[in-house]
Amino acid sequence: MDANEIIVCIAITFCLINMGCSTTDPKDAKILSDFKNGLQNPELLKWPNNGNEYDPCGPPSWPHVFCSNGRVTQIQVANLGLKGTLPQSFNHLTMLYNLGLQKNQFNGTLPTFSGLTELQFAYLNFNEFDTIPSDFFHGLRSLRVLALDDNPLNATNGWSIPDELQDSVQLMNFSCSSCNIVGSLPDFFGKLSSLNSLVLSYNRLSGAIPASFYGSNLQILWLNDQDGDGMTGNIGVIGSMVSLTEVWLHGNSFTGSIPNNIGSLTSLKELNLNGNLLVGIIPPNLAAMALQLLDLNNNMLMGPIPKFRASDVTFSSNSFCRTTPGLQCAPEVNALLDFLRDLNYPSNLASQWSGNDPCTGPWLGLSCNLKGEVLYYKFAEAKA
């Protein structure tokens, strides 16, 4: 064995001992080269321009790139200020399991992630991607976390979450606030037993919370501030989701009453129902909950204002009988509210029946005699 062969053997032995000697798969190297070439400011990556230019896995590996056995497994470039597009062949990085592109200025069309079966974590939020391909979610069987928030995806017509996402049975966190989702809330989210957090604020969702959410293991549910009329229907299913810690439903058109079993949500810390069309009496067990935040503003809630245990609570612009927490309604008001409950709180009455004297103010459908006693004969007219 000559001197050169000895040197090669020593180098190979050293690499094997340190588990750091691997040649990057040529396809992976090409994609990273295309990634760099698609940027307006590639110098921020501090990737080499010569030497091991085509060997991202090194040694030494390129900054922000992590490999295993010559395959790229992670790219972590969060908050570097990068501007540019991604290569459309991105899904050929078939061993990629963790991708952090958040808080940059990536733009243009998102490449499809179809076939990235090893991908577990993908942070694409806070960028400027304007298009998402129809097959983006296909085959993401290992996905645990996907963040797409604050991207102007398909801004003109919006886009709907495809059914393929339900095949990501290990999904724990899906967030896509301010990304132009339209249509109804997919019912498969209620069937994913691993899902802990669903954040879909500031989109264009409509319709009701699906019945499939009954008993869901969700801990965080943010559906607030949908554009247009927002989401509708009652929120009764919330009372069955006993793992919830944060519920943000404000800025929609939810109707009906706050569920009486809301007190079973013993882990709940934040409940925001501001700006809906909710009616009825506040359940006593809600008032007894030691929440960090409770916002009931701008609804049609009725009856007395209870004394709340919540550390931060607001309840303005409703139809309460009194303005001071803890004071009860007059007996005739309680009787009328019981009657209204039996009618399922029709909205035209719930919006008008406020205050503590039915013979003063806008109590639609009521007529009083000179003694201030309520006459009931106009109820049928008021219901019409």
Side-chain angles (χ1 to χ4, degrees):
M1 182 179 293
D2 62 25
N4 289 332
E5 290 175 327
I6 293 174
I7 292 173
V8 170
C9 289
I10 293 174
I12 292 173
T13 303
F14 178 81
C15 290
L16 292 173
I17 291 173
N18 289 275
M19 298 298 290
C21 186
S22 60
T23 301
T24 308
D25 181 280
K27 292 180 180 179
D28 288 9
K30 176 63 166 57
I31 293 170
L32 289 191
S33 178
D34 291 344
F35 178 94
K36 178 182 177 182
N37 292 334
L39 298 176
Q40 300 175 31
N41 49 1
E43 69 278 0
L44 297 179
L45 290 172
K46 302 186 185 304
W47 287 357
N49 293 317
N50 49 46
N52 65 340
E53 181 176 1
Y54 296 105
D55 195 7
C57 296
S61 62
W62 291 2
H64 317 294
V65 177
F66 301 83
C67 301
S68 177
N69 297 320
R71 299 300 308 277
V72 174
T73 58
Q74 295 191 58
I75 302 173
Q76 301 294 338
V77 295
N79 204 25
L80 291 183
L82 299 174
K83 299 179 182 180
T85 59
L86 295 183
Q88 293 304 299
S89 58
F90 204 82
N91 66 328
H92 294 170
L93 294 172
T94 55
M95 295 306 294
L96 189 69
Y97 85 89
N98 194 334
L99 178 63
L101 305 183
Q102 68 270 36
K103 298 182 179 179
N104 284 287
Q105 297 178 53
F106 291 111
N107 54 60
T109 300
L110 266 172
T112 181
F113 277 19
S114 175
L116 289 179
T117 57
E118 300 299 319
L119 188 65
Q120 297 183 37
F121 307 95
Y123 298 92
L124 308 171
N125 44 323
F126 297 100
N127 279 289
E128 299 172 6
F129 295 114
D130 57 26
T131 307
I132 185 167
S134 59
D135 63 346
F136 179 86
F137 298 92
H138 182 72
L140 301 181
R141 65 188 185 195
S142 300
L143 192 64
R144 295 177 180 270
V145 176
L146 176 58
L148 288 165
D149 313 80
D150 287 89
N151 281 287
L153 300 173
N154 301 8
T156 301
N157 298 318
W159 62 286
S160 299
I161 300 171
D163 291 341
E164 285 84 357
L165 186 56
Q166 68 184 313
D167 296 329
S168 301
V169 295
Q170 300 181 66
L171 188 64
M172 299 174 60
N173 185 333
F174 180 67
S175 60
C176 196
S177 61
S178 298
C179 60
N180 294 314
I181 300 173
V182 299
S184 58
L185 181 63
D187 66 354
F188 65 76
F189 281 127
K191 303 173 184 177
L192 290 174
S193 60
S194 60
L195 192 62
N196 293 327
S197 178
L198 182 61
V199 175
L200 298 175
S201 310
Y202 298 101
N203 284 293
R204 289 181 268 171
L205 290 171
S206 57
I209 301 174
S212 62
F213 278 65
Y214 187 91
S216 165
N217 294 326
L218 272 172
Q219 297 176 15
I220 296 174
L221 179 62
W222 290 7
L223 301 174
N224 56 288
D225 294 292
Q226 302 301 321
D227 197 17
D229 293 332
M231 298 189 67
T232 56
N234 67 68
I235 62 171
V237 68
I238 298 298
S240 71
M241 300 166 65
V242 296
S243 298
L244 283 169
T245 61
E246 298 178 16
V247 180
W248 290 12
L249 302 180
H250 49 287
N252 283 290
S253 297
F254 289 115
T255 56
S257 303
I258 299 172
N260 286 322
N261 60 346
I262 193 76
S264 63
L265 277 58
T266 56
S267 298
L268 191 64
K269 300 300 180 185
E270 297 183 8
L271 177 62
N272 194 331
L273 302 175
N274 180 23
N276 281 286
L277 302 172
L278 299 174
V279 297
I281 309 296
I282 295 176
N285 55 15
L286 174 58
M289 298 176 73
L291 304 177
Q292 296 173 0
L293 171 69
L294 176 60
D295 190 339
L296 302 174
N297 295 323
N298 301 299
N299 283 284
M300 294 183 290
L301 299 171
M302 312 178 78
I305 303 172
K307 290 185 176 181
F308 294 98
R309 287 189 62 198
S311 55
D312 182 3
V313 57
T314 51
F315 44 78
S316 63
S317 299
N318 279 285
S319 300
F320 298 122
C321 65
R322 308 293 289 266
T323 58
T324 303
L327 297 182
Q328 295 301 308
C329 302
E332 59 271 25
V333 171
N334 285 330
L336 289 169
L337 294 182
D338 288 343
F339 171 82
L340 203 61
R341 180 194 61 213
D342 294 339
L343 297 179
N344 200 26
Y345 298 104
S347 59
N348 63 331
L349 299 185
S351 62
Q352 297 292 324
W353 286 21
S354 63
N356 202 39
D357 186 351
C359 294
T360 62
W363 285 67
L364 180 65
L366 297 186
S367 179
C368 297
N369 61 25
L370 295 177
K371 297 180 181 180
E373 298 170 335
V374 175
L375 303 176
Y376 295 91
Y377 66 89
K378 289 190 176 181
F379 283 155
E381 177 184 332
K383 287 178 59 182

